[in-house]
């Protein structure tokens, strides 16, 4: 099996490359080489996806059985379209990693693969949707990029993966690492909402495995990629963080209403906490029927902690600084909340 990974130097892309090499596949990557590092054993091709010449040289380096695109978050749909058109003659199928943000109803509605996508054409530039909220703009860009891939490769040769939150070793966003460092610090920890509230993060290694499995078989399709609804809870997640860091702290649960009244920023100050009803109501049954297997969240937490303890450092990314509540603000909120 010969595959081309667009990206491949960090987090999901790197995990895809490592697993593909473990399967003894012939793996090439294409990137600018500015972030992350090349995995030993890979054929690293350098270039810029915004350059027509670089895309032509990339196509000349083919053919490939499949392309796995993990690096398009910073590229407008028209750039994805140009890359897909350059690669279509030399690639069997295209696996595109999108996001649940591409749905018009996220995070307010329960989702299936039949849910409506945000409006964005396949040739949209990077200004399309800029006047919307950052989350909607991002979702529109990804929805347009999905259309770019499918319009070029066709339904039968296009695989679209729509994960929600991806966690695991190498995470660059900072959600799980922040909770782990907070648990390590100990004391009374402000815990959001209800411990029994369902959450659906998926391990980066499980996303990578599913992407490669889909790349290896004929046919296309769209798949929501998430843990089963009800499979994991916020309480279980935070208890796992406490367990691996030595149980130095204790959780003080604050009701949603209290946190909202005090202006706690959802999704960032207390990572993974969000009250919109569709946030963790993503039906991933199609992916699970096709072979997606999600390891226990406790395993993801433990392995991420080991990665951090062993000196693991994520690729620098501006989103890291967005996550986590300041210690003095947490203390003030706990004081206002009062004893259990």
């Amino acid at each position: 099996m010969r595959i081309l990974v667009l990206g491949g130097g960090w987090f999901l892309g790197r995990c895809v490359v490592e697993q593909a090499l473990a399967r003894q596949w012939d793996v090439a990557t294409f990137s600018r080489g500015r972030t992350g590092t090349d995995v030993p054993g890979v054929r690293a091709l350098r270039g810029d996806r915004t350059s027509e010449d670089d895309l032509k040289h990339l196509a000349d380096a083919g053919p490939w059985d499949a392309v796995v695109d993990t690096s398009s978050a910073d590229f407008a749909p028209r750039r994805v379209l140009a890359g897909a058109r350059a690669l279509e003659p030399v690639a069997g199928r295209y696996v595109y990693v999108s996001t649940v943000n591409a749905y018009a109803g996220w995070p307010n509605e329960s989702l299936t693969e039949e849910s409506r996508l945000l409006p964005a054409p396949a040739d949209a530039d990077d200004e399309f949707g800029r006047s919307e909220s950052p989350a909607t703009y991002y979702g529109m860009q990804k929805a347009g990029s999905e259309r770019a891939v499918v319009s070029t490769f066709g339904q039968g040769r296009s695989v679209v993966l729509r994960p929600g939150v991806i966690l695991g070793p190498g995470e660059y966003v900072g959600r799980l690492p922040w909770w782990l460092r907070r648990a390590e610090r100990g004391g009374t920890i402000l815990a959001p909402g209800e411990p029994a509230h369902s959450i659906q993060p998926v391990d980066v290694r499980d996303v990578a495995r599913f992407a490669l499995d889909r790349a290896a078989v004929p046919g296309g399709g769209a798949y929501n990629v998430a843990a089963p609804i009800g499979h994991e809870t916020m309480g279980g997640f935070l208890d796992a963080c406490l367990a691996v860091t030595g149980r130095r702290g204790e959780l003080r649960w604050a009701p949603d209403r209290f946190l909202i009244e005090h202006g706690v920023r959802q999704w960032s100050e207390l990572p993974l906490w969000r009250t919109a009803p569709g946030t963790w109501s993503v039906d991933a049954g199609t992916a699970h029927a096709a072979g997606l297997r999600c390891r226990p969240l406790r395993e993801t937490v433990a392995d991420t902690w080991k990665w951090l303890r062993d000196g693991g450092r994520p690729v620098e990314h501006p989103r890291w600084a967005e996550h986590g509540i300041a210690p003095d603000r947490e203390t003030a909120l706990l004081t206002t909340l009062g004893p259990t």
Side-chain angles (χ1 to χ4, degrees):
M1 184 82 177
R2 301 185 74 240
I3 69 165
L4 170 66
V5 180
L6 301 181
W10 49 298
F11 200 39
L12 177 58
R14 187 177 187 86
C15 199
V16 167
V17 169
E18 290 172 343
Q19 291 192 21
L21 289 172
R23 298 184 187 203
Q24 298 186 336
W25 290 4
D26 184 337
V27 185
T29 59
F30 179 70
S31 70
R32 291 170 293 189
R34 297 177 183 173
T35 57
T37 56
D38 297 321
V39 178
V42 76
R43 179 165 58 121
L45 306 173
R46 293 285 183 250
D48 190 329
R49 291 179 65 170
T50 66
S51 166
E52 291 185 10
D53 287 341
D54 287 357
L55 290 176
K56 182 182 183 303
H57 291 316
L58 176 62
D60 289 343
W64 293 280
D65 297 303
V67 175
V68 181
D69 188 351
T70 67
S71 71
S72 63
D74 297 326
F75 294 99
R78 69 186 182 96
R79 297 298 185 188
V80 177
L81 181 63
R85 286 174 171 171
L87 292 170
E88 189 275 331
V90 295
R93 66 191 59 85
Y94 197 117
V95 180
Y96 179 72
V97 181
S98 184
T99 170
V100 293
N101 289 66
Y103 287 113
W106 194 86
N108 297 309
E109 302 172 7
S110 297
L111 299 174
T112 72
E113 286 86 359
E114 303 304 315
S115 299
R116 183 171 59 91
L117 296 177
L118 286 164
D123 60 352
D125 62 18
D126 57 6
E127 290 302 312
F128 189 90
R130 184 79 73 178
S131 62
E132 305 289 340
S133 69
T136 300
Y137 167 70
Y138 172 61
M140 294 175 82
Q141 292 279 306
K142 294 294 274 188
S145 295
E146 288 188 22
R147 294 184 177 103
V149 171
V150 175
S151 67
T152 304
F153 275 76
Q155 294 284 351
R157 296 167 59 208
S158 305
V159 177
V160 175
L161 307 183
R162 299 185 187 120
V165 171
I166 303 177
L167 303 177
E171 185 197 334
Y172 65 90
V173 175
R175 296 183 177 106
L176 175 51
W178 184 85
W179 276 116
L180 285 165
R181 292 303 187 191
R182 178 62 192 90
E184 179 189 32
R185 200 166 73 240
T188 303
I189 299 169
L190 185 65
E194 298 289 336
H197 190 72
S198 173
I199 59 175
Q200 296 179 270
V202 62
D203 191 289
V204 62
R205 295 163 293 184
D206 297 333
V207 180
R209 183 183 303 111
F210 186 65
L212 292 175
D213 288 347
R214 292 296 90 203
V217 298
Y223 301 88
N224 294 333
V225 182
I229 297 172
H231 183 65
E232 304 286 358
T233 65
M234 193 69 179
F237 168 69
L238 293 184
D239 184 73
C241 291
L242 286 172
V244 299
T245 56
R247 292 201 180 277
R248 296 186 176 96
E250 59 179 1
L251 303 174
R252 175 69 172 95
W253 291 91
D256 292 337
R257 183 176 60 185
F258 172 86
L259 297 173
I260 292 169
E261 288 175 351
H262 288 82
V264 176
R265 294 194 312 277
Q266 299 190 38
W267 212 230
S268 57
E269 278 195 289
L270 295 174
L272 305 187
W273 169 68
R274 196 165 193 161
T275 60
T279 303
W280 302 115
S281 186
V282 178
D283 183 352
T286 301
H288 288 280
L292 173 65
R293 297 293 178 265
C294 293
R295 70 193 66 203
L297 189 51
R298 285 182 175 271
E299 182 178 332
T300 303
V301 170
D303 290 348
T304 303
W305 179 239
K306 182 179 185 304
W307 168 70
L308 288 171
R309 296 280 286 178
D310 290 347
R313 293 178 59 85
V315 171
E316 291 187 10
H317 196 279
R319 294 185 66 187
W320 187 278
E322 296 175 3
H323 293 93
I325 192 167
D328 56 347
R329 177 159 161 75
E330 181 185 25
T331 298
L333 288 167
L334 287 167
T335 300
T336 303
L337 186 60
T340 304

mmCIF file of all heavy atoms in Angstrom, residues 285-307:
data_model
loop_
_atom_site.group_PDB
_atom_site.id
_atom_site.type_symbol
_atom_site.label_atom_id
_atom_site.label_comp_id
_atom_site.label_asym_id
_atom_site.label_seq_id
_atom_site.Cartn_x
_atom_site.Cartn_y
_atom_site.Cartn_z
ATOM 1 N N GLY A 285 -22.350 6.001 15.040
ATOM 2 C CA GLY A 285 -22.665 4.598 14.795
ATOM 3 C C GLY A 285 -22.175 4.088 13.455
ATOM 4 O O GLY A 285 -21.773 2.924 13.335
ATOM 5 N N THR A 286 -22.199 4.928 12.427
ATOM 6 C CA THR A 286 -21.723 4.505 11.106
ATOM 7 C C THR A 286 -20.243 4.150 11.152
ATOM 8 O O THR A 286 -19.811 3.135 10.588
ATOM 9 C CB THR A 286 -21.967 5.617 10.072
ATOM 10 O OG1 THR A 286 -23.361 5.920 10.020
ATOM 11 C CG2 THR A 286 -21.491 5.197 8.695
ATOM 12 N N ALA A 287 -19.452 4.967 11.839
ATOM 13 C CA ALA A 287 -18.018 4.687 11.958
ATOM 14 C C ALA A 287 -17.770 3.424 12.775
ATOM 15 O O ALA A 287 -16.913 2.603 12.426
ATOM 16 C CB ALA A 287 -17.300 5.874 12.577
ATOM 17 N N HIS A 288 -18.515 3.264 13.855
ATOM 18 C CA HIS A 288 -18.310 2.077 14.687
ATOM 19 C C HIS A 288 -18.694 0.814 13.921
ATOM 20 O O HIS A 288 -18.023 -0.221 14.042
ATOM 21 C CB HIS A 288 -19.089 2.209 15.997
ATOM 22 C CG HIS A 288 -18.485 3.213 16.929
ATOM 23 N ND1 HIS A 288 -17.398 2.924 17.732
ATOM 24 C CD2 HIS A 288 -18.787 4.512 17.171
ATOM 25 C CE1 HIS A 288 -17.062 4.002 18.432
ATOM 26 N NE2 HIS A 288 -17.900 4.981 18.109
ATOM 27 N N ALA A 289 -19.743 0.885 13.111
ATOM 28 C CA ALA A 289 -20.126 -0.265 12.289
ATOM 29 C C ALA A 289 -19.059 -0.579 11.247
ATOM 30 O O ALA A 289 -18.907 -1.734 10.822
ATOM 31 C CB ALA A 289 -21.463 0.011 11.607
ATOM 32 N N ALA A 290 -18.302 0.454 10.846
ATOM 33 C CA ALA A 290 -17.243 0.279 9.844
ATOM 34 C C ALA A 290 -15.901 -0.086 10.468
ATOM 35 O O ALA A 290 -14.908 -0.234 9.740
ATOM 36 C CB ALA A 290 -17.097 1.554 9.020
ATOM 37 N N GLY A 291 -15.849 -0.201 11.802
ATOM 38 C CA GLY A 291 -14.628 -0.665 12.435
ATOM 39 C C GLY A 291 -13.948 0.276 13.399
ATOM 40 O O GLY A 291 -12.908 -0.080 13.976
ATOM 41 N N LEU A 292 -14.484 1.482 13.609
ATOM 42 C CA LEU A 292 -13.878 2.383 14.592
ATOM 43 C C LEU A 292 -13.977 1.757 15.980
ATOM 44 O O LEU A 292 -15.050 1.332 16.402
ATOM 45 C CB LEU A 292 -14.584 3.740 14.593
ATOM 46 C CG LEU A 292 -14.155 4.721 15.701
ATOM 47 C CD1 LEU A 292 -12.697 5.142 15.526
ATOM 48 C CD2 LEU A 292 -15.071 5.946 15.723
ATOM 49 N N ARG A 293 -12.858 1.720 16.680
ATOM 50 C CA ARG A 293 -12.824 1.233 18.052
ATOM 51 C C ARG A 293 -12.191 2.302 18.925
ATOM 52 O O ARG A 293 -11.079 2.763 18.633
ATOM 53 C CB ARG A 293 -12.035 -0.072 18.153
ATOM 54 C CG ARG A 293 -12.665 -1.226 17.371
ATOM 55 C CD ARG A 293 -14.006 -1.646 17.991
ATOM 56 N NE ARG A 293 -14.638 -2.715 17.225
ATOM 57 C CZ ARG A 293 -15.561 -2.506 16.287
ATOM 58 N NH1 ARG A 293 -15.922 -1.265 15.956
ATOM 59 N NH2 ARG A 293 -16.113 -3.521 15.646
ATOM 60 N N CYS A 294 -12.879 2.689 19.987
ATOM 61 C CA CYS A 294 -12.393 3.744 20.875
ATOM 62 C C CYS A 294 -11.905 3.132 22.184
ATOM 63 O O CYS A 294 -12.684 2.505 22.904
ATOM 64 C CB CYS A 294 -13.502 4.758 21.148
ATOM 65 S SG CYS A 294 -13.991 5.711 19.697
ATOM 66 N N ARG A 295 -10.650 3.311 22.468
ATOM 67 C CA ARG A 295 -10.089 2.806 23.714
ATOM 68 C C ARG A 295 -10.676 3.567 24.891
ATOM 69 O O ARG A 295 -11.175 4.698 24.723
ATOM 70 C CB ARG A 295 -8.572 2.920 23.701
ATOM 71 C CG ARG A 295 -8.036 4.343 23.793
ATOM 72 C CD ARG A 295 -6.565 4.379 23.449
ATOM 73 N NE ARG A 295 -6.358 4.034 22.046
ATOM 74 C CZ ARG A 295 -5.204 3.556 21.567
ATOM 75 N NH1 ARG A 295 -4.165 3.379 22.360
ATOM 76 N NH2 ARG A 295 -5.101 3.267 20.278
ATOM 77 N N PRO A 296 -10.638 3.011 26.114
ATOM 78 C CA PRO A 296 -11.141 3.734 27.280
ATOM 79 C C PRO A 296 -10.434 5.075 27.452
ATOM 80 O O PRO A 296 -9.225 5.184 27.234
ATOM 81 C CB PRO A 296 -10.838 2.784 28.448
ATOM 82 C CG PRO A 296 -10.726 1.428 27.825
ATOM 83 C CD PRO A 296 -10.141 1.663 26.455
ATOM 84 N N LEU A 297 -11.185 6.084 27.854
ATOM 85 C CA LEU A 297 -10.610 7.413 28.037
ATOM 86 C C LEU A 297 -9.515 7.395 29.101
ATOM 87 O O LEU A 297 -8.557 8.171 29.028
ATOM 88 C CB LEU A 297 -11.719 8.399 28.407
ATOM 89 C CG LEU A 297 -11.377 9.882 28.436
ATOM 90 C CD1 LEU A 297 -10.691 10.330 27.156
ATOM 91 C CD2 LEU A 297 -12.640 10.710 28.683
ATOM 92 N N ARG A 298 -9.636 6.513 30.089
ATOM 93 C CA ARG A 298 -8.593 6.414 31.118
ATOM 94 C C ARG A 298 -7.241 6.042 30.502
ATOM 95 O O ARG A 298 -6.191 6.488 30.978
ATOM 96 C CB ARG A 298 -8.986 5.393 32.182
ATOM 97 C CG ARG A 298 -10.046 5.890 33.146
ATOM 98 C CD ARG A 298 -10.398 4.886 34.216
ATOM 99 N NE ARG A 298 -11.320 5.470 35.177
ATOM 100 C CZ ARG A 298 -10.951 6.127 36.267
ATOM 101 N NH1 ARG A 298 -9.668 6.262 36.551
ATOM 102 N NH2 ARG A 298 -11.856 6.645 37.085
ATOM 103 N N GLU A 299 -7.258 5.235 29.466
ATOM 104 C CA GLU A 299 -6.009 4.871 28.797
ATOM 105 C C GLU A 299 -5.416 6.080 28.084
ATOM 106 O O GLU A 299 -4.198 6.307 28.127
ATOM 107 C CB GLU A 299 -6.267 3.733 27.806
ATOM 108 C CG GLU A 299 -5.020 3.241 27.099
ATOM 109 C CD GLU A 299 -5.300 2.091 26.162
ATOM 110 O OE1 GLU A 299 -6.258 1.330 26.413
ATOM 111 O OE2 GLU A 299 -4.561 1.948 25.161
ATOM 112 N N THR A 300 -6.267 6.865 27.435
ATOM 113 C CA THR A 300 -5.799 8.094 26.782
ATOM 114 C C THR A 300 -5.185 9.044 27.798
ATOM 115 O O THR A 300 -4.109 9.625 27.562
ATOM 116 C CB THR A 300 -6.968 8.785 26.064
ATOM 117 O OG1 THR A 300 -7.553 7.887 25.122
ATOM 118 C CG2 THR A 300 -6.507 10.046 25.353
ATOM 119 N N VAL A 301 -5.847 9.211 28.935
ATOM 120 C CA VAL A 301 -5.354 10.096 29.988
ATOM 121 C C VAL A 301 -3.998 9.603 30.503
ATOM 122 O O VAL A 301 -3.040 10.380 30.628
ATOM 123 C CB VAL A 301 -6.377 10.187 31.136
ATOM 124 C CG1 VAL A 301 -5.776 10.905 32.346
ATOM 125 C CG2 VAL A 301 -7.638 10.912 30.665
ATOM 126 N N ALA A 302 -3.902 8.312 30.792
ATOM 127 C CA ALA A 302 -2.663 7.764 31.344
ATOM 128 C C ALA A 302 -1.508 7.896 30.354
ATOM 129 O O ALA A 302 -0.388 8.269 30.734
ATOM 130 C CB ALA A 302 -2.872 6.301 31.727
ATOM 131 N N ASP A 303 -1.762 7.623 29.087
ATOM 132 C CA ASP A 303 -0.690 7.686 28.096
ATOM 133 C C ASP A 303 -0.266 9.128 27.821
ATOM 134 O O ASP A 303 0.910 9.389 27.530
ATOM 135 C CB ASP A 303 -1.138 7.015 26.800
ATOM 136 C CG ASP A 303 -1.264 5.508 26.940
ATOM 137 O OD1 ASP A 303 -0.802 4.960 27.961
ATOM 138 O OD2 ASP A 303 -1.853 4.874 26.041
ATOM 139 N N THR A 304 -1.214 10.070 27.899
ATOM 140 C CA THR A 304 -0.851 11.474 27.715
ATOM 141 C C THR A 304 -0.019 11.968 28.891
ATOM 142 O O THR A 304 0.953 12.727 28.704
ATOM 143 C CB THR A 304 -2.118 12.334 27.551
ATOM 144 O OG1 THR A 304 -2.889 11.843 26.450
ATOM 145 C CG2 THR A 304 -1.761 13.794 27.294
ATOM 146 N N TRP A 305 -0.362 11.525 30.092
ATOM 147 C CA TRP A 305 0.422 11.900 31.271
ATOM 148 C C TRP A 305 1.845 11.342 31.153
ATOM 149 O O TRP A 305 2.825 12.029 31.464
ATOM 150 C CB TRP A 305 -0.250 11.400 32.537
ATOM 151 C CG TRP A 305 0.486 11.723 33.802
ATOM 152 C CD1 TRP A 305 0.956 10.845 34.732
ATOM 153 C CD2 TRP A 305 0.829 13.025 34.309
ATOM 154 N NE1 TRP A 305 1.571 11.506 35.770
ATOM 155 C CE2 TRP A 305 1.503 12.852 35.532
ATOM 156 C CE3 TRP A 305 0.628 14.319 33.823
ATOM 157 C CZ2 TRP A 305 1.978 13.916 36.284
ATOM 158 C CZ3 TRP A 305 1.110 15.397 34.575
ATOM 159 C CH2 TRP A 305 1.770 15.180 35.789
ATOM 160 N N LYS A 306 1.967 10.102 30.703
ATOM 161 C CA LYS A 306 3.295 9.512 30.531
ATOM 162 C C LYS A 306 4.093 10.310 29.503
ATOM 163 O O LYS A 306 5.290 10.565 29.700
ATOM 164 C CB LYS A 306 3.173 8.053 30.092
ATOM 165 C CG LYS A 306 4.516 7.339 29.940
ATOM 166 C CD LYS A 306 4.339 5.902 29.538
ATOM 167 C CE LYS A 306 5.677 5.171 29.510
ATOM 168 N NZ LYS A 306 6.681 5.805 28.631
ATOM 169 N N TRP A 307 3.437 10.700 28.422
ATOM 170 C CA TRP A 307 4.111 11.501 27.398
ATOM 171 C C TRP A 307 4.615 12.822 27.980
ATOM 172 O O TRP A 307 5.762 13.225 27.727
ATOM 173 C CB TRP A 307 3.144 11.742 26.242
ATOM 174 C CG TRP A 307 3.573 12.775 25.258
ATOM 175 C CD1 TRP A 307 4.594 12.683 24.359
ATOM 176 C CD2 TRP A 307 2.988 14.070 25.060
ATOM 177 N NE1 TRP A 307 4.684 13.849 23.619
ATOM 178 C CE2 TRP A 307 3.701 14.701 24.029
ATOM 179 C CE3 TRP A 307 1.910 14.730 25.649
ATOM 180 C CZ2 TRP A 307 3.389 15.978 23.588
ATOM 181 C CZ3 TRP A 307 1.596 16.004 25.210
ATOM 182 C CH2 TRP A 307 2.325 16.619 24.191
#
